[in-house]
Amino acid sequence: MAAIRTGLAALAALGLAFDASAQAVPPAPAAKPAVPTPKPAAPVPDPTFEAARSAFEALPEPERRAVQDALVWTGDYNGVTTGGFGRRTFDGIATYQRRTGGPPTGQLAAPERAALAAAADAARKAARFRIQADAASGAAIGVPERLLSKRSPLPGGTRWQSADGRVTLDTRSFPPGTTDLDALFERATAAAPERKVTYKLKKPDFIVVTAETATGRSYVRYAQGEAGIRGFALGYDRALAGEVEPLVIAVANSFAPFPAAEPPAPTPPAAASVRPDPAPRPGSGPAVTPAAPPAEARASATGLNLGGGHVLTTASALDDCPAPRIGGLPGRSEARDAANSLVLLRVEGLGGGAGPVLRADAVGADEALLVLAAGAGGGRSVAPGIAGPGGLYAPLQPGAGGAPVLDRAGRLVGLVARAPVAPRLIAGVMPPTRYPTVPATAVAAFLKRSGIGSALPPSAAPVATATPGAAVAPVLAAVVDLQCGP
């Protein structure tokens, strides 16, 4: 078999060129008996990773996906832009930070996200990367037009190719009943003397296969829906891998086999909160942006009224609220701890206050907890949680930053360090997510240094477990909402 030197030849070697014949799959070798392996030890939590995860998951999903997409374009991330956080996302952010001279914390502050978005946008423009609505296949796909400058029709799809033919991108579609994913997967993974399948994944509704030869590499993906099967294949000379492989990831992440059912594309982080101007109506002249409605007070965070005009909350809960108001009264920062995780507010004229006792002993793994958060207008919400490394898992929503975390005996075990900044619903349900907490030991030390150590007395004595309602009842009056606005 001749050496493969072009993108089209790479696709043919993968069995994906549209004039290639199908190949038979050899019988699978007999399975070897399973050998039991010792159960690995539980991994030790990485506090840096967990802090980065919490910060990332606090962002709205469009911004999380946009960060991942931007890291693809800067060459620092080679994963799927789902908005989920894992080791690849952490490593991608840390790599970008090292490369740009910052500390590799895995957390991107707002200025860093803006700089990342700008770098990614410049890379997209340089590649002339545009999402194409491919009428022939019905799919939508991103095409780097600077590289793939030639375009020609195919049966049920379109071909984009580089001027020298060394890179080829093909789309293809099959009406319902004409083939299935099993046949396409068999064809893509069939044995060939000079080709090695480097990755293969088969799911009920999609397949992915990558392969390589001595001179070429290929990537194929097909998805199945009610309209049939739609997919694409990208082949390239492996000598161009450094230039092409970041584009392969971008193309794969942009691919929408059934665009009408796809989620919106990622919004660049720097523009995620900017509303576009309304489109002008024909003949109506330039669009006029309507005046913004008056700002309304919103629940920004939760505080714990300790009495004497003192309110305790977490510093990160006030990142976007430098001038909070509690019960209509202005609050000012009176003290912060050395780690900049806790804030003691002074609110002149604020009455009441009766916080819970502090739990002196450590929280057990997977122990059941309760989060008592405030809402605008004096409302309260109680969310169940489970203790985890450095925090807890709970279905929290905006406004829960600074909320007290209680055990089932009503003792304070910590405060929620950071909560989501936008509502987070999946299928209408608030999903449990990992959130960091400031532990009770740090709260006790901070209050002692601030001269009000008696505000939350410690309790090491065993306390009977109560129902959730009974556990939070003594603390309800002390939970206050911190508002930002006029």
Side-chain angles (χ1 to χ4, degrees):
M1 183 175 181
I4 301 171
R5 300 186 183 279
T6 67
L8 181 57
L11 295 184
L14 188 56
L16 295 168
F18 299 143
D19 56 354
S21 60
Q23 302 180 52
V25 181
K32 296 181 179 179
V35 178
T37 56
K39 185 177 181 180
V44 178
D46 179 354
T48 302
F49 177 84
E50 297 304 332
R53 180 206 295 273
S54 297
F56 188 83
E57 291 180 345
L59 296 172
E61 182 178 344
E63 290 192 36
R64 299 198 304 270
R65 293 175 59 227
V67 166
Q68 291 173 325
D69 184 65
L71 290 169
V72 168
W73 281 101
T74 58
D76 300 305
Y77 177 67
N78 65 349
V80 182
T81 56
T82 63
F85 189 87
R87 181 56 63 175
R88 279 190 179 185
T89 300
F90 176 84
D91 291 343
I93 293 173
T95 300
Y96 168 78
Q97 290 173 317
R98 290 190 194 94
R99 197 167 47 74
T100 54
T105 63
Q107 301 183 46
L108 291 171
E112 290 179 294
R113 294 198 300 272
L116 172 63
D121 188 55
R124 284 189 207 94
K125 289 179 178 177
R128 293 209 300 268
F129 190 82
R130 295 183 176 88
I131 304 297
Q132 304 276 357
D134 182 31
S137 68
I141 193 167
V143 179
E145 294 178 343
R146 185 182 188 88
L147 175 65
L148 303 180
S149 55
K150 296 166 59 179
R151 178 171 178 168
S152 57
L154 292 172
T158 301
R159 171 169 291 164
W160 288 270
Q161 199 168 41
S162 61
D164 58 8
R166 298 169 73 189
V167 184
T168 299
L169 170 64
D170 291 348
T171 58
R172 185 76 189 274
S173 62
F174 302 92
T178 57
T179 189
D180 56 31
L181 289 180
D182 289 339
L184 292 170
F185 188 76
E186 180 178 309
R187 177 178 174 182
T189 57
E194 298 183 9
R195 182 193 56 146
K196 176 184 178 182
V197 173
T198 53
Y199 177 82
K200 57 183 179 180
L201 176 66
K202 181 181 177 184
K203 294 289 185 179
D205 56 347
F206 74 93
I207 62 170
V208 176
V209 179
T210 65
E212 63 180 23
T213 67
T215 56
R217 291 180 178 174
S218 303
Y219 178 103
V220 61
R221 177 177 170 187
Y222 280 107
Q224 183 169 313
E226 293 182 359
I229 294 177
R230 298 173 184 175
F232 74 94
L234 201 159
Y236 54 98
D237 189 322
R238 66 184 304 161
L240 303 176
E243 174 188 358
V244 175
E245 287 184 352
L247 295 175
V248 174
I249 300 168
V251 170
N253 282 328
S254 72
F255 177 61
F258 309 101
E262 294 295 320
T267 304
S273 60
V274 179
R275 294 183 178 180
D277 292 335
R281 296 187 302 273
S284 63
V288 178
T289 303
E296 296 182 358
R298 58 181 174 85
S300 172
T302 298
L304 197 55
N305 185 356
L306 305 179
H310 288 110
V311 173
L312 177 68
T313 189
T314 51
S316 59
L318 297 178
D319 283 346
D320 299 320
C321 188
R325 300 179 71 85
I326 299 94
L329 302 172
R332 60 177 176 82
S333 177
E334 187 172 84
R336 285 179 178 254
D337 69 341
N340 197 33
S341 58
L342 294 168
V343 175
L344 187 63
L345 298 174
R346 180 70 178 178
V347 186
E348 299 292 345
L350 182 67
V357 296
L358 283 166
R359 175 164 163 169
D361 55 317
V363 178
D366 297 329
E367 183 175 341
L369 302 173
L370 299 167
V371 181
L372 184 52
R380 305 287 186 273
S381 65
V382 180
I386 296 176
L392 81 162
Y393 291 91
L396 304 184
Q397 292 297 295
V405 182
L406 311 177
D407 64 12
R408 286 302 180 95
R411 297 177 298 176
L412 184 74
V413 301
L415 301 180
V416 176
R418 186 181 296 275
V421 295
R424 190 166 184 264
L425 297 175
I426 297 178
V429 177
M430 294 183 291
T433 304
R434 185 196 301 263
Y435 295 100
T437 59
V438 181
T441 52
V443 172
F446 173 60
L447 294 180
K448 184 177 180 180
R449 288 193 299 270
S450 302
I452 55 171
S454 61
L456 298 177
S459 172
V463 181
T465 299
T467 63
V472 304
V475 191
L476 282 173
V479 174
V480 294
D481 63 294
L482 280 59
Q483 294 185 348
C484 289

